[in-house]
Amino acid sequence: MAARSRALPGNTKRKPAAMWAAVEEYLDGLQIEPDAALEAALEASAAAGLPEIAVTPSQGKLLQLLTRMVGAKRILEIGTLGGVSTIWLARALAPRGRVVTLEADREHFEVARANFARAGLAKRIDQRLGRALETLPRLEAEGGAAFDFVFIDADKENTVPYFDWALRLSRPGAAILVDNVVRDGEIVAPGSRDARIRGMRRFHESLRQEKRVSAATIQTVGSKGYDGFTLAVVLR
Ligand code: SAH
Ligand code: DHB
Ligand code: MG
């Protein structure tokens, strides 16, 4: 015990968040290939003043692995930001596949557009500007093929309607991944006045009676703090 704690960087002692970040750095160093396009996308996003809330490298790689596992050719993402998660997803698409990504903020949309061009992925990514509750019905009206994978990562208040849209637009066997479903553990507070927390509580409670999916929630720690993902598989 003493030997083990001596081997840790001093600032991780009794500081869980520092420990999570140190472990993430150690594992990423072993498991994540350096990627110039992703680094450039993060730099351009920071330079433009976008919030630093993109998926971490290991989370991005998880998105890639799930994309591969379902053999995704059609991916829907709700919440583009600077397009970091989109780049991870697009890189794992099946041949001739596409990611449709929805973003309400014009500046985020433009930063992402430049990031996709720089990554050589512009042709693989279909960006839609507008509030997702307005662009989702348009997508349905276009009548494109069903989605194989959906990543929900936009305004947390609307997670329930986004999940409902994900179900409407995806095929049986599709996977739906929802980000930020634990929010520092605040989701256990029934009286929260934070609309984002209330939105996530409504989401978890609505899943209970949703017969069209099988789902599990995994809590996560790391450089983005304490949060979690819900993964759902569409049954029919
Ligand atoms: N998926 C990104 C992070 C998304 S952050 C990544 O991991 O790299 C959430 C994004 O959702 C922000 O860019 C925000 O502008 C966008 N957003 C917020 N409300 C929205 C809405 N109603 N419709 C579409 N996008 C929205
Ligand atoms: C926030 C949003 C996210 O999508 C995320 O992954 C982390 C934080 C936020 O709005 O604070
Ligand atoms: Mg998120």
Side-chain angles (χ1 to χ4, degrees):
M1 186 61 201
R4 196 186 297 168
S5 61
R6 257 200 308 279
L8 291 168
N11 68 347
T12 63
K13 285 181 190 160
R14 294 182 304 278
K15 286 194 178 157
M19 170 75 88
W20 305 337
V23 171
E24 181 175 306
E25 196 181 330
Y26 166 70
L27 293 172
D28 284 4
L30 296 170
Q31 295 171 358
I32 309 286
E33 299 289 326
D35 185 306
L38 280 166
E39 278 157 32
L42 280 166
E43 263 172 47
S45 300
L50 268 51
E52 298 191 4
I53 56 176
V55 289
T56 64
S58 53
Q59 292 175 347
K61 195 159 175 192
L62 175 69
L63 293 178
Q64 272 198 342
L65 299 178
L66 293 167
T67 297
R68 294 220 173 92
M69 286 166 76
V70 299
K73 195 169 176 182
R74 291 259 299 159
I75 297 177
L76 173 63
E77 175 178 68
I78 308 178
T80 316
L81 191 63
V84 170
S85 53
T86 327
I87 291 172
W88 281 104
L89 291 165
R91 289 248 175 84
L93 280 168
R96 291 178 302 284
R98 279 198 133 198
V99 185
V100 179
T101 185
L102 314 183
E103 175 56 57
D105 185 299
R106 184 178 294 276
E107 196 190 351
H108 298 182
F109 176 91
E110 295 296 349
V111 170
R113 182 154 67 176
N115 287 338
F116 300 151
R118 203 182 294 108
L121 289 167
K123 283 185 298 191
R124 296 286 208 155
I125 299 169
D126 177 358
Q127 291 182 262
R128 305 292 176 98
L129 178 64
R131 283 193 241 180
L133 289 177
E134 288 160 25
T135 49
L136 284 162
R138 273 182 240 151
L139 263 184
E140 184 178 47
E142 286 171 19
F147 291 101
D148 308 300
F149 185 81
V150 183
F151 181 44
I152 299 176
D153 191 22
D155 48 324
K156 313 309 169 191
E157 294 87 332
N158 284 317
T159 302
V160 168
Y162 294 156
F163 193 82
D164 212 59
W165 275 106
L167 278 168
R168 281 172 76 148
L169 298 176
S170 59
R171 65 159 168 87
I176 303 171
L177 187 72
V178 186
D179 194 18
N180 310 117
V181 300
V182 172
R183 308 291 304 200
D184 226 356
E186 289 176 54
I187 54 155
V188 296
S192 176
R193 284 186 305 266
D194 184 329
R196 298 166 302 177
I197 303 295
R198 290 209 310 272
M200 277 307 172
R201 284 179 60 86
R202 281 195 302 278
F203 169 62
H204 290 297
E205 286 156 28
S206 73
L207 260 187
R208 186 175 171 208
Q209 46 239 31
E210 180 51 74
K211 298 288 185 283
R212 294 172 291 176
V213 301
S214 181
T217 295
I218 298 299
Q219 302 180 70
T220 59
V221 295
S223 59
K224 286 183 76 177
Y226 168 38
D227 213 322
F229 290 111
T230 296
L231 178 63
V233 173
V234 179
L235 301 175
R236 56 187 159 83

